[in-house]
Amino acid sequence: VRHDRFTPEAPSALGARAVIFGGHLTETGSFAPGTRDGLLAYASAPDRPLLGLCGGHQLIAEAHGGQSGPIVPGTDPARDLPCLASIDLSRSAVERPSVRRGYLGVEIERDHALFADVPPGGRFLHMHYWHVAEMPAGFDVLARSRDGVVQAMAHRERPTFGVQFHPEGFSEAHPAGAHLLRAFLDLAPSSGIAAAAGRAGAA
């Protein structure tokens, strides 16, 4: 479901058992006014398990009073994030202060079912230069990168999660993302489908 067509009623109408907010290549201030209202409204009070990926993670934080922005304020590292089709991300990992690209590890800070089956040393696909700069109320940090950037969070009272990386970008060589997605879906009821909303890409 496109971000501007998503409504808080959509998951129920679709019979979804879980909702995933995808990433995007558009910075928050560049979205047309009102086009994210349905996503923000749903993220503030979801009626089923919700997982945000990259920009979706940042959107969930925003819906709960958190703040997102560039990892290093004042920088313009977008040029370091090439078209996914132009490089082999499995062979090109970049972890600069202002930008993350490729398969990188995270440091798990809190035991949680979301990471229970992730193999030790598992790496996830990163493609971002923004992050959750101020944690939202009611959430705990589950994982960070080595320099402290929040990489995963979970709501304390409901199955609402955000990850800054891209678990959907798993591969045979890097299966950690598949384990995390499976763990998320295991938290959802057994009937229905998973609904996804958002733009393709990452921020």
Side-chain angles (χ1 to χ4, degrees):
V1 179
R2 274 178 56 100
H3 69 285
D4 54 355
R5 297 176 184 170
F6 183 89
T7 67
E9 298 76 32
S12 177
L14 290 169
R17 62 186 176 99
V19 177
I20 297 173
F21 285 174
H24 50 80
L25 285 167
T26 305
E27 293 185 3
T28 301
S30 298
F31 281 89
T35 57
R36 302 185 312 134
D37 289 355
L39 296 169
L40 288 165
Y42 186 80
S44 68
D47 60 357
R48 58 208 68 208
L50 171 63
L51 173 64
L53 314 178
C54 198
H57 159 72
Q58 297 162 17
L59 186 143
I60 290 172
E62 181 183 347
H64 289 268
Q67 297 291 326
S68 299
I71 298 173
V72 178
T75 59
D76 182 21
R79 63 183 180 276
D80 292 328
L81 295 175
C83 173
L84 289 174
S86 69
I87 58 172
D88 182 355
L89 288 169
S90 67
R91 299 175 180 271
S92 176
V94 174
E95 192 171 10
R96 298 176 187 162
S98 61
V99 67
R100 313 294 153 87
R101 184 186 76 212
Y103 287 93
L104 303 167
V106 300
E107 297 183 355
I108 299 172
E109 291 192 353
R110 184 183 295 263
D111 289 337
H112 194 280
L114 208 60
F115 287 94
D117 295 326
V118 173
R123 291 174 170 258
F124 300 93
L125 178 62
H126 292 246
M127 183 66 70
H128 67 97
Y129 60 97
W130 273 42
H131 72 134
V132 172
E134 181 181 326
M135 281 289 291
F139 283 77
D140 290 320
V141 175
L142 300 183
R144 298 180 189 267
S145 52
R146 289 180 297 178
D147 60 359
V149 169
V150 175
Q151 292 294 336
M153 65 182 186
H155 195 278
R156 294 176 192 142
E157 298 178 357
R158 59 171 69 104
T160 299
F161 314 97
V163 295
Q164 185 58 68
F165 47 83
H166 287 268
E168 77 278 15
F170 62 85
S171 67
E172 185 175 344
H174 299 286
H179 291 290
L180 187 144
L181 290 173
R182 189 177 299 113
F184 168 67
L185 292 175
D186 284 346
L187 296 170
S190 59
S191 61
I193 59 173
R199 285 176 146 170

